[in-house]
Amino acid sequence: MKKHTTPEQMPVNLKEKNAVHDFRITIRDRDHFYKLVNWLNENVGKGEDNWTMEGRVLRALKQGKSVSPKIYIFREDFDTTSSLYLSLL
């Protein structure tokens, strides 16, 4: 007798699914990371309900690795041209 198994589904990334906007930014160093966080907090709003970033950015920067995390914005009124400004910070 064989046991019935259901096919495994890929896990759903809820951040990616619920995000209104998402984009990647290459972060050069710790100062650049903090500038991005401060700008996002001021212009998008604080908290995981407004925006979030994937991965452990500071840990990777401390190890000297290059980091290009995906940033998820959950607010509908976010101006997408701001992502270009963020890359120039």
Side-chain angles (χ1 to χ4, degrees), residues 5-39:
T5 59
T6 58
E8 291 187 29
Q9 295 179 356
M10 294 295 290
V12 176
N13 183 345
L14 291 177
K15 290 178 186 176
E16 195 165 348
K17 182 179 176 184
N18 295 332
V20 178
H21 307 285
D22 62 80
F23 49 91
R24 285 198 183 275
I25 289 187
T26 302
I27 299 176
R28 298 183 299 270
D29 55 15
R30 206 169 89 180
D31 291 334
H32 186 224
F33 170 75
Y34 284 119
K35 284 181 186 176
L36 288 173
V37 170
N38 287 334
W39 189 91

PDB file of all heavy atoms in Angstrom, residues 5-39:
ATOM      1  N   THR A   5       0.764  11.195  -1.268  1.00  0.00           N
ATOM      2  CA  THR A   5       1.460  12.441  -0.931  1.00  0.00           C
ATOM      3  C   THR A   5       1.010  13.531  -1.883  1.00  0.00           C
ATOM      4  O   THR A   5       0.747  13.285  -3.049  1.00  0.00           O
ATOM      5  CB  THR A   5       2.994  12.279  -1.044  1.00  0.00           C
ATOM      6  OG1 THR A   5       3.310  11.889  -2.374  1.00  0.00           O
ATOM      7  CG2 THR A   5       3.504  11.232  -0.075  1.00  0.00           C
ATOM      8  N   THR A   6       0.941  14.711  -1.353  1.00  0.00           N
ATOM      9  CA  THR A   6       0.582  15.847  -2.197  1.00  0.00           C
ATOM     10  C   THR A   6       1.871  16.452  -2.738  1.00  0.00           C
ATOM     11  O   THR A   6       2.897  16.446  -2.056  1.00  0.00           O
ATOM     12  CB  THR A   6      -0.183  16.919  -1.400  1.00  0.00           C
ATOM     13  OG1 THR A   6       0.639  17.342  -0.306  1.00  0.00           O
ATOM     14  CG2 THR A   6      -1.495  16.378  -0.884  1.00  0.00           C
ATOM     15  N   PRO A   7       1.844  16.928  -3.953  1.00  0.00           N
ATOM     16  CA  PRO A   7       3.065  17.531  -4.506  1.00  0.00           C
ATOM     17  C   PRO A   7       3.455  18.762  -3.693  1.00  0.00           C
ATOM     18  O   PRO A   7       2.615  19.575  -3.328  1.00  0.00           O
ATOM     19  CB  PRO A   7       2.681  17.904  -5.927  1.00  0.00           C
ATOM     20  CG  PRO A   7       1.204  17.912  -5.957  1.00  0.00           C
ATOM     21  CD  PRO A   7       0.731  17.001  -4.867  1.00  0.00           C
ATOM     22  N   GLU A   8       4.752  18.869  -3.410  1.00  0.00           N
ATOM     23  CA  GLU A   8       5.225  20.012  -2.636  1.00  0.00           C
ATOM     24  C   GLU A   8       5.179  21.271  -3.498  1.00  0.00           C
ATOM     25  O   GLU A   8       5.556  21.251  -4.662  1.00  0.00           O
ATOM     26  CB  GLU A   8       6.646  19.774  -2.155  1.00  0.00           C
ATOM     27  CG  GLU A   8       6.724  18.692  -1.103  1.00  0.00           C
ATOM     28  CD  GLU A   8       8.117  18.597  -0.521  1.00  0.00           C
ATOM     29  OE1 GLU A   8       8.830  19.616  -0.494  1.00  0.00           O
ATOM     30  OE2 GLU A   8       8.477  17.495  -0.108  1.00  0.00           O
ATOM     31  N   GLN A   9       4.702  22.328  -2.881  1.00  0.00           N
ATOM     32  CA  GLN A   9       4.641  23.606  -3.575  1.00  0.00           C
ATOM     33  C   GLN A   9       5.799  24.468  -3.115  1.00  0.00           C
ATOM     34  O   GLN A   9       6.297  24.319  -2.002  1.00  0.00           O
ATOM     35  CB  GLN A   9       3.323  24.309  -3.273  1.00  0.00           C
ATOM     36  CG  GLN A   9       2.124  23.573  -3.812  1.00  0.00           C
ATOM     37  CD  GLN A   9       0.843  24.296  -3.453  1.00  0.00           C
ATOM     38  OE1 GLN A   9       0.857  25.283  -2.752  1.00  0.00           O
ATOM     39  NE2 GLN A   9      -0.265  23.784  -3.940  1.00  0.00           N
ATOM     40  N   MET A  10       6.202  25.353  -3.985  1.00  0.00           N
ATOM     41  CA  MET A  10       7.260  26.290  -3.624  1.00  0.00           C
ATOM     42  C   MET A  10       6.746  27.197  -2.511  1.00  0.00           C
ATOM     43  O   MET A  10       5.582  27.609  -2.543  1.00  0.00           O
ATOM     44  CB  MET A  10       7.657  27.142  -4.830  1.00  0.00           C
ATOM     45  CG  MET A  10       8.293  26.368  -5.954  1.00  0.00           C
ATOM     46  SD  MET A  10       9.863  25.659  -5.486  1.00  0.00           S
ATOM     47  CE  MET A  10      10.856  27.111  -5.361  1.00  0.00           C
ATOM     48  N   PRO A  11       7.586  27.509  -1.527  1.00  0.00           N
ATOM     49  CA  PRO A  11       7.137  28.418  -0.470  1.00  0.00           C
ATOM     50  C   PRO A  11       6.838  29.798  -1.046  1.00  0.00           C
ATOM     51  O   PRO A  11       7.498  30.252  -1.975  1.00  0.00           O
ATOM     52  CB  PRO A  11       8.315  28.466   0.495  1.00  0.00           C
ATOM     53  CG  PRO A  11       9.469  27.945  -0.252  1.00  0.00           C
ATOM     54  CD  PRO A  11       8.941  27.080  -1.355  1.00  0.00           C
ATOM     55  N   VAL A  12       5.838  30.431  -0.495  1.00  0.00           N
ATOM     56  CA  VAL A  12       5.415  31.737  -0.987  1.00  0.00           C
ATOM     57  C   VAL A  12       6.150  32.818  -0.203  1.00  0.00           C
ATOM     58  O   VAL A  12       6.177  32.800   1.019  1.00  0.00           O
ATOM     59  CB  VAL A  12       3.892  31.919  -0.816  1.00  0.00           C
ATOM     60  CG1 VAL A  12       3.456  33.308  -1.232  1.00  0.00           C
ATOM     61  CG2 VAL A  12       3.155  30.866  -1.601  1.00  0.00           C
ATOM     62  N   ASN A  13       6.774  33.738  -0.913  1.00  0.00           N
ATOM     63  CA  ASN A  13       7.421  34.886  -0.281  1.00  0.00           C
ATOM     64  C   ASN A  13       6.343  35.945  -0.093  1.00  0.00           C
ATOM     65  O   ASN A  13       5.966  36.639  -1.036  1.00  0.00           O
ATOM     66  CB  ASN A  13       8.557  35.398  -1.160  1.00  0.00           C
ATOM     67  CG  ASN A  13       9.312  36.531  -0.520  1.00  0.00           C
ATOM     68  OD1 ASN A  13       8.861  37.133   0.446  1.00  0.00           O
ATOM     69  ND2 ASN A  13      10.468  36.831  -1.070  1.00  0.00           N
ATOM     70  N   LEU A  14       5.819  36.064   1.128  1.00  0.00           N
ATOM     71  CA  LEU A  14       4.717  36.985   1.377  1.00  0.00           C
ATOM     72  C   LEU A  14       5.129  38.436   1.169  1.00  0.00           C
ATOM     73  O   LEU A  14       4.318  39.255   0.748  1.00  0.00           O
ATOM     74  CB  LEU A  14       4.174  36.791   2.796  1.00  0.00           C
ATOM     75  CG  LEU A  14       3.459  35.467   3.015  1.00  0.00           C
ATOM     76  CD1 LEU A  14       3.023  35.338   4.458  1.00  0.00           C
ATOM     77  CD2 LEU A  14       2.259  35.344   2.089  1.00  0.00           C
ATOM     78  N   LYS A  15       6.394  38.758   1.457  1.00  0.00           N
ATOM     79  CA  LYS A  15       6.847  40.131   1.230  1.00  0.00           C
ATOM     80  C   LYS A  15       6.726  40.473  -0.250  1.00  0.00           C
ATOM     81  O   LYS A  15       6.218  41.514  -0.618  1.00  0.00           O
ATOM     82  CB  LYS A  15       8.302  40.290   1.666  1.00  0.00           C
ATOM     83  CG  LYS A  15       8.516  40.231   3.145  1.00  0.00           C
ATOM     84  CD  LYS A  15       9.988  40.352   3.455  1.00  0.00           C
ATOM     85  CE  LYS A  15      10.252  40.152   4.920  1.00  0.00           C
ATOM     86  NZ  LYS A  15      11.678  40.161   5.227  1.00  0.00           N
ATOM     87  N   GLU A  16       7.213  39.569  -1.083  1.00  0.00           N
ATOM     88  CA  GLU A  16       7.179  39.821  -2.527  1.00  0.00           C
ATOM     89  C   GLU A  16       5.748  39.818  -3.048  1.00  0.00           C
ATOM     90  O   GLU A  16       5.386  40.607  -3.909  1.00  0.00           O
ATOM     91  CB  GLU A  16       8.004  38.761  -3.246  1.00  0.00           C
ATOM     92  CG  GLU A  16       8.320  39.109  -4.655  1.00  0.00           C
ATOM     93  CD  GLU A  16       9.420  38.245  -5.233  1.00  0.00           C
ATOM     94  OE1 GLU A  16      10.099  37.530  -4.489  1.00  0.00           O
ATOM     95  OE2 GLU A  16       9.581  38.300  -6.455  1.00  0.00           O
ATOM     96  N   LYS A  17       4.926  38.961  -2.494  1.00  0.00           N
ATOM     97  CA  LYS A  17       3.540  38.854  -2.938  1.00  0.00           C
ATOM     98  C   LYS A  17       2.738  40.102  -2.572  1.00  0.00           C
ATOM     99  O   LYS A  17       1.924  40.578  -3.352  1.00  0.00           O
ATOM    100  CB  LYS A  17       2.908  37.618  -2.299  1.00  0.00           C
ATOM    101  CG  LYS A  17       1.493  37.367  -2.713  1.00  0.00           C
ATOM    102  CD  LYS A  17       0.966  36.117  -2.048  1.00  0.00           C
ATOM    103  CE  LYS A  17      -0.491  35.901  -2.374  1.00  0.00           C
ATOM    104  NZ  LYS A  17      -1.040  34.755  -1.664  1.00  0.00           N
ATOM    105  N   ASN A  18       2.974  40.648  -1.374  1.00  0.00           N
ATOM    106  CA  ASN A  18       2.188  41.779  -0.886  1.00  0.00           C
ATOM    107  C   ASN A  18       2.769  43.134  -1.246  1.00  0.00           C
ATOM    108  O   ASN A  18       2.112  44.149  -1.069  1.00  0.00           O
ATOM    109  CB  ASN A  18       2.034  41.692   0.636  1.00  0.00           C
ATOM    110  CG  ASN A  18       1.234  40.479   1.042  1.00  0.00           C
ATOM    111  OD1 ASN A  18       0.396  40.006   0.296  1.00  0.00           O
ATOM    112  ND2 ASN A  18       1.502  39.967   2.225  1.00  0.00           N
ATOM    113  N   ALA A  19       3.992  43.172  -1.738  1.00  0.00           N
ATOM    114  CA  ALA A  19       4.638  44.452  -2.040  1.00  0.00           C
ATOM    115  C   ALA A  19       3.996  45.110  -3.256  1.00  0.00           C
ATOM    116  O   ALA A  19       3.673  44.462  -4.244  1.00  0.00           O
ATOM    117  CB  ALA A  19       6.119  44.241  -2.295  1.00  0.00           C
ATOM    118  N   VAL A  20       3.826  46.411  -3.158  1.00  0.00           N
ATOM    119  CA  VAL A  20       3.309  47.185  -4.282  1.00  0.00           C
ATOM    120  C   VAL A  20       4.454  47.499  -5.243  1.00  0.00           C
ATOM    121  O   VAL A  20       4.299  47.460  -6.453  1.00  0.00           O
ATOM    122  CB  VAL A  20       2.644  48.488  -3.781  1.00  0.00           C
ATOM    123  CG1 VAL A  20       2.146  49.322  -4.941  1.00  0.00           C
ATOM    124  CG2 VAL A  20       1.500  48.160  -2.839  1.00  0.00           C
ATOM    125  N   HIS A  21       5.622  47.799  -4.671  1.00  0.00           N
ATOM    126  CA  HIS A  21       6.827  48.090  -5.455  1.00  0.00           C
ATOM    127  C   HIS A  21       7.985  47.299  -4.874  1.00  0.00           C
ATOM    128  O   HIS A  21       8.064  47.105  -3.667  1.00  0.00           O
ATOM    129  CB  HIS A  21       7.189  49.578  -5.400  1.00  0.00           C
ATOM    130  CG  HIS A  21       6.081  50.486  -5.779  1.00  0.00           C
ATOM    131  ND1 HIS A  21       5.689  50.669  -7.081  1.00  0.00           N
ATOM    132  CD2 HIS A  21       5.271  51.273  -5.039  1.00  0.00           C
ATOM    133  CE1 HIS A  21       4.697  51.531  -7.118  1.00  0.00           C
ATOM    134  NE2 HIS A  21       4.417  51.898  -5.889  1.00  0.00           N
ATOM    135  N   ASP A  22       8.895  46.852  -5.732  1.00  0.00           N
ATOM    136  CA  ASP A  22      10.133  46.250  -5.251  1.00  0.00           C
ATOM    137  C   ASP A  22      11.248  46.556  -6.235  1.00  0.00           C
ATOM    138  O   ASP A  22      11.012  46.683  -7.429  1.00  0.00           O
ATOM    139  CB  ASP A  22       9.994  44.740  -5.032  1.00  0.00           C
ATOM    140  CG  ASP A  22       9.663  43.986  -6.290  1.00  0.00           C
ATOM    141  OD1 ASP A  22      10.600  43.729  -7.068  1.00  0.00           O
ATOM    142  OD2 ASP A  22       8.487  43.655  -6.502  1.00  0.00           O
ATOM    143  N   PHE A  23      12.450  46.742  -5.701  1.00  0.00           N
ATOM    144  CA  PHE A  23      13.601  47.052  -6.529  1.00  0.00           C
ATOM    145  C   PHE A  23      14.867  46.665  -5.773  1.00  0.00           C
ATOM    146  O   PHE A  23      14.848  46.466  -4.569  1.00  0.00           O
ATOM    147  CB  PHE A  23      13.629  48.528  -6.932  1.00  0.00           C
ATOM    148  CG  PHE A  23      13.441  49.486  -5.795  1.00  0.00           C
ATOM    149  CD1 PHE A  23      14.525  49.974  -5.093  1.00  0.00           C
ATOM    150  CD2 PHE A  23      12.174  49.894  -5.420  1.00  0.00           C
ATOM    151  CE1 PHE A  23      14.350  50.847  -4.044  1.00  0.00           C
ATOM    152  CE2 PHE A  23      11.985  50.767  -4.376  1.00  0.00           C
ATOM    153  CZ  PHE A  23      13.084  51.253  -3.676  1.00  0.00           C
ATOM    154  N   ARG A  24      15.972  46.550  -6.501  1.00  0.00           N
ATOM    155  CA  ARG A  24      17.273  46.226  -5.912  1.00  0.00           C
ATOM    156  C   ARG A  24      18.158  47.457  -5.914  1.00  0.00           C
ATOM    157  O   ARG A  24      18.148  48.241  -6.850  1.00  0.00           O
ATOM    158  CB  ARG A  24      17.971  45.133  -6.715  1.00  0.00           C
ATOM    159  CG  ARG A  24      17.411  43.790  -6.494  1.00  0.00           C
ATOM    160  CD  ARG A  24      18.400  42.724  -6.954  1.00  0.00           C
ATOM    161  NE  ARG A  24      17.793  41.431  -6.784  1.00  0.00           N
ATOM    162  CZ  ARG A  24      17.812  40.753  -5.647  1.00  0.00           C
ATOM    163  NH1 ARG A  24      18.423  41.227  -4.604  1.00  0.00           N
ATOM    164  NH2 ARG A  24      17.218  39.587  -5.557  1.00  0.00           N
ATOM    165  N   ILE A  25      18.936  47.575  -4.843  1.00  0.00           N
ATOM    166  CA  ILE A  25      19.910  48.653  -4.733  1.00  0.00           C
ATOM    167  C   ILE A  25      21.210  48.056  -4.222  1.00  0.00           C
ATOM    168  O   ILE A  25      21.197  47.266  -3.279  1.00  0.00           O
ATOM    169  CB  ILE A  25      19.420  49.760  -3.787  1.00  0.00           C
ATOM    170  CG1 ILE A  25      18.280  50.518  -4.427  1.00  0.00           C
ATOM    171  CG2 ILE A  25      20.538  50.685  -3.392  1.00  0.00           C
ATOM    172  CD1 ILE A  25      17.827  51.723  -3.689  1.00  0.00           C
ATOM    173  N   THR A  26      22.312  48.428  -4.829  1.00  0.00           N
ATOM    174  CA  THR A  26      23.609  47.995  -4.352  1.00  0.00           C
ATOM    175  C   THR A  26      24.062  48.938  -3.249  1.00  0.00           C
ATOM    176  O   THR A  26      24.107  50.151  -3.440  1.00  0.00           O
ATOM    177  CB  THR A  26      24.642  48.002  -5.497  1.00  0.00           C
ATOM    178  OG1 THR A  26      24.171  47.143  -6.536  1.00  0.00           O
ATOM    179  CG2 THR A  26      25.995  47.511  -5.012  1.00  0.00           C
ATOM    180  N   ILE A  27      24.383  48.359  -2.097  1.00  0.00           N
ATOM    181  CA  ILE A  27      24.800  49.149  -0.947  1.00  0.00           C
ATOM    182  C   ILE A  27      26.317  49.074  -0.837  1.00  0.00           C
ATOM    183  O   ILE A  27      26.891  47.989  -0.771  1.00  0.00           O
ATOM    184  CB  ILE A  27      24.114  48.640   0.337  1.00  0.00           C
ATOM    185  CG1 ILE A  27      22.600  48.788   0.179  1.00  0.00           C
ATOM    186  CG2 ILE A  27      24.617  49.395   1.551  1.00  0.00           C
ATOM    187  CD1 ILE A  27      21.800  48.256   1.316  1.00  0.00           C
ATOM    188  N   ARG A  28      26.938  50.242  -0.812  1.00  0.00           N
ATOM    189  CA  ARG A  28      28.401  50.322  -0.833  1.00  0.00           C
ATOM    190  C   ARG A  28      29.030  50.049   0.527  1.00  0.00           C
ATOM    191  O   ARG A  28      30.004  49.319   0.637  1.00  0.00           O
ATOM    192  CB  ARG A  28      28.836  51.707  -1.303  1.00  0.00           C
ATOM    193  CG  ARG A  28      28.399  52.036  -2.710  1.00  0.00           C
ATOM    194  CD  ARG A  28      28.913  53.388  -3.139  1.00  0.00           C
ATOM    195  NE  ARG A  28      28.417  54.480  -2.298  1.00  0.00           N
ATOM    196  CZ  ARG A  28      27.296  55.153  -2.540  1.00  0.00           C
ATOM    197  NH1 ARG A  28      26.561  54.839  -3.576  1.00  0.00           N
ATOM    198  NH2 ARG A  28      26.917  56.135  -1.750  1.00  0.00           N
ATOM    199  N   ASP A  29      28.491  50.696   1.580  1.00  0.00           N
ATOM    200  CA  ASP A  29      29.079  50.558   2.906  1.00  0.00           C
ATOM    201  C   ASP A  29      28.014  50.836   3.958  1.00  0.00           C
ATOM    202  O   ASP A  29      26.845  51.061   3.633  1.00  0.00           O
ATOM    203  CB  ASP A  29      30.285  51.487   3.078  1.00  0.00           C
ATOM    204  CG  ASP A  29      29.961  52.949   2.789  1.00  0.00           C
ATOM    205  OD1 ASP A  29      28.769  53.295   2.737  1.00  0.00           O
ATOM    206  OD2 ASP A  29      30.902  53.737   2.606  1.00  0.00           O
ATOM    207  N   ARG A  30      28.442  50.824   5.220  1.00  0.00           N
ATOM    208  CA  ARG A  30      27.496  50.985   6.320  1.00  0.00           C
ATOM    209  C   ARG A  30      26.851  52.368   6.317  1.00  0.00           C
ATOM    210  O   ARG A  30      25.653  52.500   6.583  1.00  0.00           O
ATOM    211  CB  ARG A  30      28.236  50.740   7.634  1.00  0.00           C
ATOM    212  CG  ARG A  30      27.333  50.282   8.727  1.00  0.00           C
ATOM    213  CD  ARG A  30      28.129  49.819   9.893  1.00  0.00           C
ATOM    214  NE  ARG A  30      28.374  50.974  10.741  1.00  0.00           N
ATOM    215  CZ  ARG A  30      29.049  50.948  11.856  1.00  0.00           C
ATOM    216  NH1 ARG A  30      29.603  49.839  12.254  1.00  0.00           N
ATOM    217  NH2 ARG A  30      29.213  52.021  12.570  1.00  0.00           N
ATOM    218  N   ASP A  31      27.623  53.400   6.010  1.00  0.00           N
ATOM    219  CA  ASP A  31      27.069  54.757   5.964  1.00  0.00           C
ATOM    220  C   ASP A  31      25.988  54.870   4.890  1.00  0.00           C
ATOM    221  O   ASP A  31      24.944  55.498   5.104  1.00  0.00           O
ATOM    222  CB  ASP A  31      28.165  55.792   5.703  1.00  0.00           C
ATOM    223  CG  ASP A  31      29.102  55.935   6.883  1.00  0.00           C
ATOM    224  OD1 ASP A  31      28.674  55.661   8.022  1.00  0.00           O
ATOM    225  OD2 ASP A  31      30.266  56.304   6.651  1.00  0.00           O
ATOM    226  N   HIS A  32      26.223  54.263   3.748  1.00  0.00           N
ATOM    227  CA  HIS A  32      25.237  54.263   2.670  1.00  0.00           C
ATOM    228  C   HIS A  32      23.967  53.541   3.112  1.00  0.00           C
ATOM    229  O   HIS A  32      22.852  53.995   2.835  1.00  0.00           O
ATOM    230  CB  HIS A  32      25.838  53.605   1.422  1.00  0.00           C
ATOM    231  CG  HIS A  32      24.964  53.672   0.226  1.00  0.00           C
ATOM    232  ND1 HIS A  32      24.769  52.600  -0.597  1.00  0.00           N
ATOM    233  CD2 HIS A  32      24.227  54.687  -0.306  1.00  0.00           C
ATOM    234  CE1 HIS A  32      23.933  52.948  -1.568  1.00  0.00           C
ATOM    235  NE2 HIS A  32      23.601  54.205  -1.412  1.00  0.00           N
ATOM    236  N   PHE A  33      24.127  52.424   3.813  1.00  0.00           N
ATOM    237  CA  PHE A  33      22.974  51.669   4.319  1.00  0.00           C
ATOM    238  C   PHE A  33      22.120  52.540   5.248  1.00  0.00           C
ATOM    239  O   PHE A  33      20.900  52.602   5.117  1.00  0.00           O
ATOM    240  CB  PHE A  33      23.445  50.413   5.059  1.00  0.00           C
ATOM    241  CG  PHE A  33      22.371  49.709   5.815  1.00  0.00           C
ATOM    242  CD1 PHE A  33      21.418  48.958   5.156  1.00  0.00           C
ATOM    243  CD2 PHE A  33      22.297  49.794   7.199  1.00  0.00           C
ATOM    244  CE1 PHE A  33      20.408  48.308   5.850  1.00  0.00           C
ATOM    245  CE2 PHE A  33      21.305  49.144   7.897  1.00  0.00           C
ATOM    246  CZ  PHE A  33      20.355  48.398   7.226  1.00  0.00           C
ATOM    247  N   TYR A  34      22.771  53.244   6.172  1.00  0.00           N
ATOM    248  CA  TYR A  34      22.021  54.078   7.117  1.00  0.00           C
ATOM    249  C   TYR A  34      21.357  55.263   6.427  1.00  0.00           C
ATOM    250  O   TYR A  34      20.271  55.687   6.824  1.00  0.00           O
ATOM    251  CB  TYR A  34      22.916  54.542   8.265  1.00  0.00           C
ATOM    252  CG  TYR A  34      23.172  53.434   9.261  1.00  0.00           C
ATOM    253  CD1 TYR A  34      24.455  52.985   9.513  1.00  0.00           C
ATOM    254  CD2 TYR A  34      22.123  52.818   9.932  1.00  0.00           C
ATOM    255  CE1 TYR A  34      24.693  51.956  10.412  1.00  0.00           C
ATOM    256  CE2 TYR A  34      22.344  51.790  10.824  1.00  0.00           C
ATOM    257  CZ  TYR A  34      23.631  51.368  11.066  1.00  0.00           C
ATOM    258  OH  TYR A  34      23.853  50.352  11.945  1.00  0.00           O
ATOM    259  N   LYS A  35      21.979  55.814   5.385  1.00  0.00           N
ATOM    260  CA  LYS A  35      21.332  56.880   4.609  1.00  0.00           C
ATOM    261  C   LYS A  35      20.055  56.363   3.944  1.00  0.00           C
ATOM    262  O   LYS A  35      19.029  57.047   3.924  1.00  0.00           O
ATOM    263  CB  LYS A  35      22.281  57.422   3.540  1.00  0.00           C
ATOM    264  CG  LYS A  35      23.342  58.331   4.068  1.00  0.00           C
ATOM    265  CD  LYS A  35      24.209  58.831   2.933  1.00  0.00           C
ATOM    266  CE  LYS A  35      25.380  59.634   3.440  1.00  0.00           C
ATOM    267  NZ  LYS A  35      26.270  60.047   2.344  1.00  0.00           N
ATOM    268  N   LEU A  36      20.129  55.144   3.385  1.00  0.00           N
ATOM    269  CA  LEU A  36      18.940  54.544   2.759  1.00  0.00           C
ATOM    270  C   LEU A  36      17.826  54.332   3.775  1.00  0.00           C
ATOM    271  O   LEU A  36      16.663  54.664   3.525  1.00  0.00           O
ATOM    272  CB  LEU A  36      19.291  53.201   2.123  1.00  0.00           C
ATOM    273  CG  LEU A  36      20.121  53.218   0.859  1.00  0.00           C
ATOM    274  CD1 LEU A  36      20.513  51.802   0.481  1.00  0.00           C
ATOM    275  CD2 LEU A  36      19.355  53.867  -0.263  1.00  0.00           C
ATOM    276  N   VAL A  37      18.182  53.781   4.923  1.00  0.00           N
ATOM    277  CA  VAL A  37      17.177  53.508   5.963  1.00  0.00           C
ATOM    278  C   VAL A  37      16.534  54.809   6.434  1.00  0.00           C
ATOM    279  O   VAL A  37      15.300  54.893   6.555  1.00  0.00           O
ATOM    280  CB  VAL A  37      17.809  52.736   7.139  1.00  0.00           C
ATOM    281  CG1 VAL A  37      16.859  52.659   8.315  1.00  0.00           C
ATOM    282  CG2 VAL A  37      18.205  51.341   6.689  1.00  0.00           C
ATOM    283  N   ASN A  38      17.342  55.827   6.690  1.00  0.00           N
ATOM    284  CA  ASN A  38      16.791  57.117   7.140  1.00  0.00           C
ATOM    285  C   ASN A  38      15.880  57.727   6.086  1.00  0.00           C
ATOM    286  O   ASN A  38      14.808  58.251   6.411  1.00  0.00           O
ATOM    287  CB  ASN A  38      17.919  58.092   7.493  1.00  0.00           C
ATOM    288  CG  ASN A  38      18.605  57.709   8.788  1.00  0.00           C
ATOM    289  OD1 ASN A  38      18.008  57.076   9.646  1.00  0.00           O
ATOM    290  ND2 ASN A  38      19.866  58.074   8.919  1.00  0.00           N
ATOM    291  N   TRP A  39      16.291  57.662   4.803  1.00  0.00           N
ATOM    292  CA  TRP A  39      15.462  58.223   3.736  1.00  0.00           C
ATOM    293  C   TRP A  39      14.139  57.469   3.641  1.00  0.00           C
ATOM    294  O   TRP A  39      13.076  58.079   3.500  1.00  0.00           O
ATOM    295  CB  TRP A  39      16.201  58.175   2.404  1.00  0.00           C
ATOM    296  CG  TRP A  39      15.489  58.929   1.336  1.00  0.00           C
ATOM    297  CD1 TRP A  39      15.666  60.230   1.007  1.00  0.00           C
ATOM    298  CD2 TRP A  39      14.462  58.435   0.472  1.00  0.00           C
ATOM    299  NE1 TRP A  39      14.817  60.572  -0.013  1.00  0.00           N
ATOM    300  CE2 TRP A  39      14.065  59.494  -0.352  1.00  0.00           C
ATOM    301  CE3 TRP A  39      13.840  57.203   0.320  1.00  0.00           C
ATOM    302  CZ2 TRP A  39      13.074  59.352  -1.320  1.00  0.00           C
ATOM    303  CZ3 TRP A  39      12.853  57.066  -0.632  1.00  0.00           C
ATOM    304  CH2 TRP A  39      12.469  58.128  -1.446  1.00  0.00           C
TER     305      TRP A  39
END
